[in-house]
Amino acid sequence: SYELTQPPSVSVSPGQTVSITCSGDKLGDKYACWYQQKPGQSPVLVIYQDNKRPSGIPERFSGSNSGSTATLTISGTQAMDEADYSCQAWDSSTAYVVFGGGTKLTVL
Amino acid sequence: QVQLQESGPRLVKPSETLSLTCTVSGGSVSSTNFYWGWIRQPPGKGLEWIAYIYYSGSTNYNPSLKSRVTISVDTSKNQFSLRLTSVTAADTAVYYCARLRGYTNNWYIDSWGQGTLVTVSS
């Protein structure tokens, strides 16, 4: 079955730029999206269709997807961005929803 | 704005059946542009897709759970439901209902319920 791999944790200093990766076989041929989840809360969609931001998501969140890696980038990271981030793709061969294992972002 | 709300028992005994219902408001499960699904998250772990359903009744299941899972939709009540049989402690998790938006090979979750913690314990 199709799998997505994320680093367990990433850290960043306030105001800096951070990238979180999501790897999968030929992921660039699929669409990737990203969810932000803060403790005790439901996930929130922050990027869909590789690089589109839903209404209300700050411009500092951006996405890209090429080759085997999708990347979520947060520019000018703020303390409020500390959260778990999970990538997700749609496996077209099976129509399964596939999640990455999640990355804990710490803003030091 | 659509809202989803999970309901059902919070405590289930081992070997019994977990049953949850998601009530949709501000939108219709009969909409042709959406799937309706269930996702779970064991304590301290990542998200796991369980199943989704289209208003017509078309379904798809996570292969690792398929033998124990049934998802159904009730358009008259604007609800959809999950049944997971023969539960064990490994099924203890926060269960989310969700709406999937998209097209062709591009589907993502744009709305989530608040989640409900279901504990499997005797």
Side-chain angles (χ1 to χ4, degrees):
Chain A
S1 61
Y2 193 77
E3 295 183 355
L4 295 174
T5 302
Q6 298 181 237
S9 63
V10 172
S11 61
V12 63
S13 299
Q16 298 302 302
T17 296
V18 64
S19 293
I20 300 172
T21 59
C22 174
S23 299
D25 184 43
K26 296 181 181 179
L27 180 56
D29 292 343
K30 309 179 189 299
Y31 285 114
C33 63
W34 292 88
Y35 304 95
Q36 176 194 68
Q37 187 178 24
K38 296 182 179 179
Q41 298 184 17
S42 302
V44 172
L45 180 70
V46 293
I47 293 289
Y48 68 99
Q49 201 168 312
D50 292 340
N51 54 22
K52 293 182 171 23
R53 279 179 293 105
S55 174
I57 300 302
E59 291 185 6
R60 63 179 181 274
F61 289 87
S62 63
S64 63
N65 185 16
S66 179
S68 62
T69 304
T71 303
L72 171 70
T73 300
I74 309 173
S75 304
T77 308
Q78 300 182 9
M80 68 173 63
D81 299 330
E82 185 165 285
D84 291 329
Y85 291 86
S86 297
C87 60
Q88 179 244 303
W90 177 270
D91 182 1
S92 57
S93 64
T94 57
Y96 293 161
V97 176
V98 181
F99 287 102
T103 298
K104 180 176 179 59
L105 175 65
T106 301
V107 181
L108 299 171
Chain B
Q1 182 175 351
V2 69
Q3 293 187 319
L4 299 92
Q5 178 67 58
E6 304 90 350
S7 59
R10 307 291 179 92
L11 181 63
V12 182
K13 291 182 169 56
S15 80
E16 296 191 346
T17 296
L18 179 160
S19 295
L20 294 172
T21 295
C22 183
T23 300
V24 178
S25 57
S28 173
V29 297
S30 298
S31 297
T32 57
N33 297 332
F34 306 108
Y35 286 117
W36 305 92
W38 291 95
I39 293 91
R40 71 180 183 179
Q41 185 172 37
K45 296 188 178 181
L47 299 167
E48 179 181 31
W49 166 67
I50 301 171
Y52 63 75
I53 190 166
Y54 194 54
Y55 80 97
S56 63
S58 174
T59 60
N60 206 353
Y61 296 98
N62 186 320
S64 69
L65 298 168
K66 185 175 182 177
S67 64
R68 299 193 292 130
V69 173
T70 302
I71 188 172
S72 58
V73 64
D74 187 334
T75 56
S76 67
K77 295 182 178 179
N78 217 29
Q79 296 175 333
F80 60 102
S81 299
L82 174 74
R83 291 184 74 248
L84 178 65
T85 62
S86 304
V87 297
T88 69
D91 295 310
T92 294
V94 175
Y95 286 75
Y96 296 99
C97 61
R99 185 178 77 174
L100 288 78
R101 173 192 287 267
Y103 59 89
T104 314
N105 295 320
N106 178 22
W107 291 90
Y108 51 89
I109 299 166
D110 72 338
S111 295
W112 298 73
Q114 66 181 28
T116 185
L117 175 62
V118 179
T119 301
V120 178
S121 175
S122 55

